[in-house]
Amino acid sequence: MPYLSFHVSQDVSRSQAQAVPDTLTELTATLLGKKRELTAVEITCAKAGRWYVGAQDVASQSQVGFYLEIKVTEGTNTKGEKAQYIDAVFAAVAEIFGDVAPASYIVIHEVHADAWGYAGQTQEYRYIRGKSL
């Protein structure tokens, strides 16, 4: 049940707007083992001249900047899985948008199982319920 918040330094085309959730959902499912049907992706676009790296507008450098935050349940992925995911996401975003600023970030937040959930139940409750059946 990951939640992904994708921020990008430009407006996106219709094809990019579909490629982002398609690609991120696929990578999240295959590399982190998360359920596709529970993966939520939000896309936020910054206006031109509103994304800076090193106090320089990335658009003036013909680059695209991005920031991805993903929330997953704590302890459900290894360091190796997370490293592979970060590498694959960076490469995939470069395929979608072209020249990506190296200072584009991917942050995996591991949330305690008792601190989040969906459909009104925490992840911890789902785990305990599954063990007791």
Side-chain angles (χ1 to χ4, degrees):
M1 67 160 254
Y3 173 77
L4 292 81
S5 182
F6 181 81
H7 302 260
V8 64
S9 67
Q10 67 180 35
D11 199 10
V12 297
S13 69
R14 183 178 294 281
S15 63
Q16 290 169 327
Q18 190 57 58
V20 168
D22 286 349
T23 302
L24 294 179
T25 298
E26 180 62 24
L27 291 174
T28 302
T30 58
L31 299 179
L32 297 181
K34 306 306 179 194
K35 293 180 180 179
R36 284 177 179 82
E37 66 274 14
L38 298 177
T39 300
V41 179
E42 167 200 24
I43 301 172
T44 303
C45 304
K47 293 181 180 180
R50 300 286 173 102
W51 196 288
Y52 293 81
V53 174
Q56 300 294 316
D57 179 8
V58 294
S60 69
Q61 300 171 32
S62 299
Q63 292 183 319
V64 174
F66 78 91
Y67 173 63
L68 172 66
E69 285 187 285
I70 175 173
K71 292 178 173 54
V72 299
T73 304
E74 182 180 44
T76 58
N77 293 102
T78 67
K79 287 181 181 183
E81 289 168 340
K82 291 181 280 188
Q84 184 181 15
Y85 180 79
I86 288 170
D87 181 57
V89 166
F90 192 90
V93 172
E95 281 188 39
I96 296 169
F97 291 99
D99 191 15
V100 172
S104 293
Y105 300 98
I106 301 158
V107 179
I108 301 172
H109 295 282
E110 293 190 275
V111 182
H112 295 293
D114 65 348
W116 83 320
Y118 65 95
Q121 297 176 348
T122 68
Q123 290 297 84
E124 183 172 8
Y125 174 81
R126 289 174 195 287
Y127 175 79
I128 292 169
R129 185 184 67 196
K131 287 295 187 182
S132 63
L133 294 177

